[in-house]
Amino acid sequence: PDPNLCDGLPLIPCYAAGNPDSKDTGYGTLTFETNPDRWGLAFFEVWLEDDGIAYPLNNVPCHCQVDVNPCPALPVNQGLNVPCNQQCNRQLFGGNPTPCNRQIFAINIEPVNDPPSFRPLGPVTTSEGAQVTVPNWACNIDHGGWMEWPYQEVSFAITTSDPTFFTTPPTIAPVPAGEELPCRDLTFNLAPGKCGIVEVTVQPIDNGGAIAGSQMGENALGVPYTFSITVNPENTPPGFTMPSNMVTAAEGTGTIERRLGFLTDIFAEPFDSCDNGDRVERINVVPVTPQCAALFDVPPVIDLPSGDLRFIPHTFATTPPGGCCYDVIATDLHGASSVAQQFCINLTPRNDNPSFVASGDVSVCEDADVGGMQWATHICAGSIKLSTVCDMQEQASQQVTFDVSTQQAALFSEQPSIDSMGVLRFQPQPDASGTATVYVRATDNGTPVAKTVDTIFTITIVSTNDPPTATLGQAVVVDEDVGAVRRSQWLTGLSPGAGEANTQSVDVVGCLNTAPSLFSDQPQLILNGDVSADLVFTTAADKNGVATVTCTITDNGGTGTGQCPGNNTITLTFPITILPVDDPPFIELHESCVRPEFMCSGSTSTSICIGRTQGGTCTETNLVTSVSVLEDEGLMQLHNLIRRYGGGPPDEDQAVAFEIAASDGSLFAATTPLRIDPVSGTLIFETAPDAHGETILSITAIDSAGNRSPTLGVKLTVVSVNDPPTLQARMSVVVDACYKEQCPVLTFPSFVTSTPGPANEAAQQVTYSVSPADPSWFTTLPTIAPSGLLKFALKPGLFPAGSMQQTLVITATDDGGGDDTTSTHSTLIVVTSNQPPAFDISPLPLVATEDTPDVVRVPQWARQITAGTPGESFQSLTFSCRLDDATLLKAGTSLNVDSTTGDMMFEVAQDAYGETTGTCRLVDSSGAGVVRTFPFTVVPVNDCPVLEVVSQQLNIYDNGAVTEPVILSSSAGPREDHQVLSFKVLSISKPSYFVIEPHFEATGIVLHPKDGVTGPVTLTVAATDDGGVQRGGCDTSKRLTLQIFIAHANRPPAFKVNNNVITVLEDSPLVIIDRFVSDISAGHADETQSVSCIVSPSVVQGFAIQPHLALSVDSKTAALQFRTEGNTTGQFTLNVICTDSGLSSPPHQAQSLPVQFIIDVTPVNDPPFFKFASPDGIRVWEDSGRYELPIFLSGLVAGPEDEKSQVTQVTCSPTERAFLLDTIDLHVSTTDNGLGTHTASLSFIVAPEVFGTATLECCAVDNGGTANQGENNYCSS
């Protein structure tokens, strides 16, 4: 239906007759190329033709049959479901007719959304705070192809590098569907106080989406375009802050009144990114109240840059109501003036100093409660007209306060103070004494505040004796019967009194307590010098309770007499608690159990030593007796072991339990625990079977409070008793009858095994004896060695056919004595013997070929097969064969030999070869057999190599050689890793598409398409090995077809920078260099993308307007624009980078390499500068003689920061009414004022008897010169 869908008809290549690749026919590859931006359904007929003879049928040419993929379902209204009914006949090999037909198929080209695009106008330049509309900034807005504009909408996503530049961000109105290639305005509102360059990125977006699954689909996002908006500053009037608009000063005294920082935040424009280096040139103070001019010797002036206000009030001057008011106006270098702000000065009368009469020095006792005392009298707020009468005018309107201070503040807990009535108050620090010098100054609350000179007096604190002090230790709690107790330094902090340690000492008078019966030695305090004391006492036996102790301590400071008496005694009271203690229980063994050496010396009783020395010679060992019993005697009782026991003294009637433990518990049966009968004192235990040895029984009594008695020990010995040995023998021994003249001695290792008894008898030796039931069977009677070896020899020819048996009695004896013998029996069986079979094998080697598909048969491989002796021919024979390397045979099969014919049969395993050894065993029906070994070989045959690729379709680009790792896996064949494998390109459908023919290298296939060549190419590849083709081998893999599609790769833009070094003068205006960049192209000759160019970096310190590029209308050239900041010099290295709107992800390149250029800013000398400290002029009186002004000029500099090293000379001369002045002298300071500027002083003599106004012109000249239009002088009057 649409012939424009395809560029030429689709092709299906066929193979020619005789083509070696004809074995792969049966499939045809369909190849076609679609036209750009075309989509829909196209229908085609397909048939095959050969070069044979055609037999017409109804004048229709005969074609052979072809099968194609089923046609897609077609809309009914297409009417294209044409049946394939054309047929013809062709004579084949047998003359059979074969129907053939044409078939119809469809190619459905699905739509793919293309990205939108537009043509931007480029960078924008505007002013600070502007509301901007750029008409038709975006034009030729394309929805994404001629087939998409009718139904898609285009909008714009806009981002900025600094959103704070805008109050309303940049916007572009959307384009509705159906509007073809329109233009749209760019609008935005700028924020005040923001200057410089901001980058804006605009990206078009349509609402068509991307078709899912499409391999060539593109996103609906268009190529973003980045441009710059340059915002230039606008001059704004200066300003300042006046924290206070009212100044109050006293009536004049001839001195300068200053108000530091009267103006703050003085600025020429707001401090922001638009600051253009402007500064405030002067501040004018304009009178608003004319009648105030006579009230000041020097009128108000405000200094720059400090903002200080200075003036000299006239003596006796007072201002009218509301004060004298002035307007303050600041003016900048460009002539802009600030809004006037008003302030007023109020001049007031001075205040007189107050006065009073002091009482003199004061004396109090140490630690006294002082309260208050009248100290100052005749208190006046102002001057005293008479000796005792105050100035009532100031007295009525003012109040007097006293400032009191002393350098001996440590003497007071409440510092000295005097209230308005003259009452002195203070409080001495506890225990403090000494003399303090006190300073008193009276102050009134007039304006300004008036003060008296200091009045000095002393406060003496008289010392008194303090009682001693001490700190008690922790509560004293001890156990009953603890004996002597000494608590070292229990009493601490002992002192004669505060501040008296160096002059006095302390002593303990004595201690009493409320319960002396609790102690054998009564509690006392023993001094350790004068700083601490030990508490000592000894408890009485078996006594407990609480005693309250009272001790008295004195110092030798006395109690004193007169005005300030003292105290020298303290009493300390504390408790001592003696806690009751539970006594441990005790145990006494029966007299018959006590060993005499453990009796206490000098004792007449049978008491046992329990760990404490009572007689002087007792040992700490409490082992008191020993007992012996026999092994395996079972349950045992030792009667009356415990004679007496108890829970402690008689007043501790407590229940007692026994704890008993054995040092070796393995001697006792686990079922019967060790215990002692508490009534009879009997020890009850049971020994473990076969256990013997010595153990210590530890016996301890425990009362109901958990107290334990000393542990007593009883030594118990279990005496060993010998056990019989164990014996095991084989149940029977079967031997063949002997037919030789002399029968050999037969041996049977490990015929018997035995042990001497339990583990404790392992050292005993065991011997064996054998008693046969019929000794006549033997030439050598049976014997058994200690190792268990049985040995005997049979008589020859004694046994008829069949078998005979008899019993052997075996006895084992150990050398332990007692019960030392054990017997058992075994059966001896004698049977007649069978002769083994025999066979020979073929002398020819067994050789097979790898991968032999059928069963291999080797006729008569086994020969001369016999069952043994002629009398054994009735027996059946069986072959069992195996290979040492069974992997040479097919899994689940083995070597098989026919015992009748001797033929050998086997199956070779797939891909297995090698040499190994085979073994065959011939066995008769009686179990006798014979073994033969032989070599076995499988000869290898080369397998075809295997090649598998990652994908049979590769997409590459026309921008140079690539190496594609197409090989997914490869192999020379099974077990053929030693072979060398190589890869070859067998055929190329379009060799002219490549610079060099495709070929394989180590890492993949190398493809180097020619520049600008695109389209499909078909390669045929295969793998080969060096294994050869002997014995039907294969050295080439199956051929694989690779479809290569060559696409165009985006090239980076190209351009030319026409001037790599740009030289401009310092402080130059906006610089515009047309055609700075030229010959701008998208890159490759067939690329028509849009190109944008920028300067990098985008922000460089030193530029008021950052360097940027403005594209021409045809986008072939670009102009460079920039403006440096004031006083900027030096070289700036920058780069030009261009970006096209094509694809950028590798291998595409949308951005060029940077091209460097330099902006060289040449220095230009700036003029020097100064300002007059009094810009409104100098006012002097007629005939006043010499006048000196310490600071006449201020802020004197040679220029900007980089010109401060220049030398500046200043001269001043009168230009009008010069006769008014004589001897003008100007002196410039040699050092700056800390702000980098200098000042100059002025002195002159006023000519006598003349008055009027003279004009002085001052000029400053530096040595920077005037090269490059520089300026080196500045004059002002």
Side-chain angles (χ1 to χ4, degrees), residues 627 636-642 660 668 673-677 680-685 697 699 714 716:
V627 178
M636 302 287 293
Q637 294 184 353
L638 296 182
H639 298 284
N640 300 321
L641 179 65
I642 305 300
I660 182 168
F668 301 96
L674 286 165
R675 64 188 181 88
I676 294 177
D677 187 320
S680 63
T682 299
L683 172 65
I684 302 171
F685 63 92
L697 302 181
I699 303 171
V714 176
L716 176 64

Side-chain angles (χ1 to χ4, degrees), residues 464-646:
T464 59
N465 186 31
D466 292 294
T469 59
T471 301
L472 295 176
Q474 294 181 347
V476 181
V477 180
V478 298
D479 290 335
E480 175 186 341
D481 297 331
V482 73
V485 176
R486 187 181 191 99
R487 296 291 174 89
S488 296
Q489 296 184 352
W490 181 77
L491 189 69
T492 59
L494 187 58
S495 169
E500 299 170 357
N502 295 330
T503 59
Q504 299 180 22
S505 61
V506 296
D507 190 20
V508 178
V509 176
C511 297
L512 300 175
N513 70 83
T514 58
S517 62
L518 295 181
F519 306 96
S520 58
D521 292 327
Q522 299 301 312
Q524 294 295 328
L525 291 176
I526 307 300
L527 288 176
N528 295 319
D530 285 337
V531 295
S532 66
D534 298 347
L535 174 63
V536 297
F537 59 88
T538 303
T539 61
D542 297 325
K543 297 292 184 179
N544 56 74
V546 178
T548 300
V549 182
T550 301
C551 297
T552 301
I553 300 176
T554 63
D555 63 27
N556 59 353
T559 58
T561 59
Q563 177 186 358
C564 300
N567 185 6
N568 69 338
T569 302
I570 61 168
T571 300
L572 304 176
T573 301
F574 56 92
I576 295 178
T577 302
I578 302 175
L579 301 175
V581 176
D582 187 17
D583 291 292
F586 65 92
I587 305 174
E588 292 183 5
L589 296 181
H590 197 273
E591 293 183 13
S592 61
C593 297
V594 179
R595 291 170 56 182
E597 59 268 32
F598 295 113
M599 297 288 292
C600 292
S601 298
S603 175
T604 58
S605 67
T606 58
S607 60
I608 306 302
C609 291
I610 57 173
R612 276 194 291 185
T613 301
Q614 297 179 357
T617 60
C618 281
T619 175
E620 289 292 329
T621 303
N622 292 323
L623 184 62
V624 298
T625 189
S626 63
V627 178
S628 295
V629 297
L630 294 178
E631 176 184 345
D632 297 331
E633 282 197 83
L635 186 65
M636 302 287 293
Q637 294 184 353
L638 296 182
H639 298 284
N640 300 321
L641 179 65
I642 305 300
R643 182 178 72 88
R644 191 171 71 89
Y645 65 90

Side-chain angles (χ1 to χ4, degrees), residues 1168 1170 1196 1206-1211 1259-1264 1272-1275:
F1170 60 83
L1196 175 61
Q1206 296 179 11
V1207 178
T1208 303
Q1209 294 181 348
V1210 184
T1211 59
C1259 292
V1261 180
D1262 63 31
N1263 62 347
N1272 67 342
N1273 69 87
Y1274 170 77
C1275 296

Side-chain angles (χ1 to χ4, degrees), residues 886-897:
T887 61
L888 296 178
L889 298 180
K890 182 178 179 181
T893 67
S894 62
L895 296 175
N896 296 313
V897 179

Side-chain angles (χ1 to χ4, degrees), residues 364-373 413-414 426-428:
V364 298
C365 293
E366 177 185 346
D367 298 331
D369 187 5
V370 176
M373 62 182 70
S413 60
E414 177 186 343
F426 63 91
Q427 185 60 44

Side-chain angles (χ1 to χ4, degrees), residues 909-939:
Q910 183 75 19
D911 299 323
Y913 60 88
E915 297 180 353
T916 188
T917 299
T919 302
C920 281
R921 185 172 188 266
L922 179 62
V923 181
D924 61 21
S925 55
S926 297
V930 64
V931 176
R932 296 285 187 271
T933 60
F934 53 89
F936 185 89
T937 303
V938 178
V939 180

Side-chain angles (χ1 to χ4, degrees), residues 420-437:
S420 59
M421 302 302 294
V423 176
L424 170 66
R425 289 183 173 85
F426 63 91
Q427 185 60 44
Q429 192 75 252
D431 302 319
S433 62
T435 298
T437 300

